[in-house]
Amino acid sequence: MSTHETGRLVLVGAPLGNVADASVRLKTVLHSVNVIAAEDTRRLKRLLSDLEIDTDADIVSYFEGNEQTKTGQLVARLEGGDDIAVITDGGMPSVSDPGYRLVTAAIDVGVPLTAVPGPSAPTTALAVSGLPSDRFIFEGFLPRKSGEASRRLAEVAHQSRTTVFFESPRRIEATLAQLCESFGSQRQAALCREMTKTYEEVRRGTLASLLDGARDDPPRGEITLVVAGWDGPDGSEATPERLAAEVEALEETGLPRKEAMRQVARQYGLKRRDVYEALLSR
C-alpha cells in the first residue's frame, strides 16, 4: 500500500514505439504502484513483458470510451491510499489521450500528482520536421465534421507559429485537402508517421505535394502533421473566393460580419473595402 495519507497519481510517458526509449523511472513506477490505468491493457501487458517488469498492480482499462465512468472509481482508490499510474499507448497521458479528467479530479480532491517525463509525438515530429520549432501550436485531432474542421483551420491559418496536428491514415487525404484550402497549397509541411517505429517515415514538402503523395502512396500508421506558420500577407493567396470563404467561416462562429471582415483584412494586410468587394463578387 501507499505510504501517503492519500495515494499519488503518476502520469507515465510511454514509448511511442521503440521500447528502448523507456526510462528507468518508468520501470520503477510500473513495478511499484497499486493500480495501472491503461489505454489498452493488451499493449500494456506487452510493454511489461518486453521490459521484464514484474508487477502486482491491478491493471484497469482506462480509455476515451470509459474515461468518464472510471474516473470516479480511480479517484476513490487514490483517496483510499492507492498509488495509480496512468499510461497510454504512446506519449504523455492527457495530451490528446486519456488522463485529463483524472488529473482535474485528483486536483479537486487534493491528491498529489506527478509525471514520469517521456516521449511525445508532437515534439518528436516537430524536432525532425525541419520547420521552425521555437514557437508552435498543438491542435491535436481536427473535428470530424467538415464544417467544424474548416472553422478550426480558419482560426489558425494565419498564425506565424508552426502548427502540429494528429491525424489517422483514413482521414489524412481529406485533411491535407482542407489544409491546402485554408492554409494555401504552397505552405511547407512535414508528414511524420510511425515515429520511432520500424517503418518511421518523414515526408517533407508543400501541402500540395504531400496531398499528391497521400493519394499516390497512402501513408499508414499513426500520423503527426507539422505545418509551417504563415509568413505574412501574400497577394497571390488573397483571392476573392478565399477572402469571402474566410469571412463566412468566421461568421459561422458567431462573429458579426463587420468584425469578420476586419479580421480577414488585417490578416492579409488589406483594407476592409477590399474584403467587402470580394464578398460582393461572389
Side-chain angles (χ1 to χ4, degrees):
M1 286 291 294
S2 166
T3 58
H4 304 289
E5 185 177 342
T6 64
R8 183 174 62 165
L9 179 63
V10 187
L11 306 177
V12 178
L16 299 177
N18 191 328
V19 295
D21 292 332
S23 68
V24 172
R25 187 166 169 232
L26 175 148
K27 298 176 186 179
T28 301
V29 167
L30 293 183
H31 172 74
S32 62
V33 293
N34 306 103
V35 181
I36 303 175
E39 183 178 15
D40 187 326
T41 57
R42 291 170 300 180
R43 288 197 183 190
L44 170 65
K45 290 175 181 176
R46 187 160 63 246
L47 178 65
L48 294 173
S49 175
D50 289 342
L51 296 176
E52 299 181 345
I53 298 174
D54 236 347
T55 179
D56 294 325
D58 294 335
I59 295 175
V60 300
S61 173
Y62 190 63
F63 64 101
E64 183 180 2
N66 70 6
E67 191 175 5
Q68 188 166 1
T69 57
K70 285 286 184 73
T71 295
Q73 298 170 22
L74 293 173
V75 169
R77 295 200 63 166
L78 286 165
E79 291 183 302
D82 284 341
D83 288 334
I84 297 179
V86 179
I87 189 166
T88 67
D89 294 347
M92 286 300 298
S94 83
V95 181
S96 285
D97 272 325
Y100 175 74
R101 286 180 186 273
L102 187 53
V103 167
T104 57
I107 291 171
D108 286 344
V109 298
V111 169
L113 66 146
T114 187
V116 176
S120 170
T123 53
T124 300
L126 184 66
V128 302
S129 68
L131 297 172
S133 57
D134 52 336
R135 299 172 69 233
F136 69 95
I137 308 167
F138 176 58
E139 284 292 318
F141 288 97
L142 288 171
R144 292 185 178 277
K145 294 183 179 178
S146 177
E148 293 177 7
S150 295
R151 286 191 290 275
R152 176 79 64 81
L153 291 175
E155 292 173 1
V156 299
H158 295 93
Q159 289 280 348
S160 60
R161 293 168 287 180
T162 301
T163 307
V164 182
F165 301 93
F166 282 161
E167 196 47 275
S168 71
R170 183 174 58 84
R171 296 175 54 193
I172 187 60
E173 184 179 327
T175 293
L176 285 169
Q178 283 185 304
L179 282 165
C180 283
E181 176 66 25
S182 298
F183 283 46
S185 61
Q186 297 308 301
R187 187 82 66 95
Q188 292 293 312
L191 188 157
C192 309
R193 71 177 190 93
E194 296 292 88
M195 302 304 298
T196 79
K197 300 177 183 177
T198 302
Y199 298 104
E200 175 180 322
E201 178 187 19
V202 180
R203 304 181 184 183
R204 301 178 181 89
T206 63
L207 286 169
S209 68
L210 292 179
L211 176 57
D212 289 341
R215 287 169 173 162
D216 296 339
D217 180 18
R220 299 179 181 180
E222 297 180 350
I223 295 171
T224 304
L225 194 60
V226 185
V227 185
W230 187 58
D231 62 1
D234 183 344
S236 66
E237 294 188 2
T239 62
E241 293 78 11
R242 184 178 180 127
L243 295 174
E246 293 198 12
V247 170
E248 290 166 1
L250 289 171
E251 283 185 294
E252 288 179 12
T253 68
L255 208 64
R257 171 162 284 202
K258 284 186 178 180
E259 177 60 20
M261 290 168 54
R262 186 187 70 78
Q263 287 194 19
V264 171
R266 184 180 60 196
Q267 289 169 353
Y268 282 93
L270 302 172
K271 295 180 180 179
R272 194 170 70 177
R273 179 162 188 82
D274 296 327
V275 180
Y276 176 70
E277 290 176 352
L279 287 167
L280 291 180
S281 70
R282 286 286 290 259

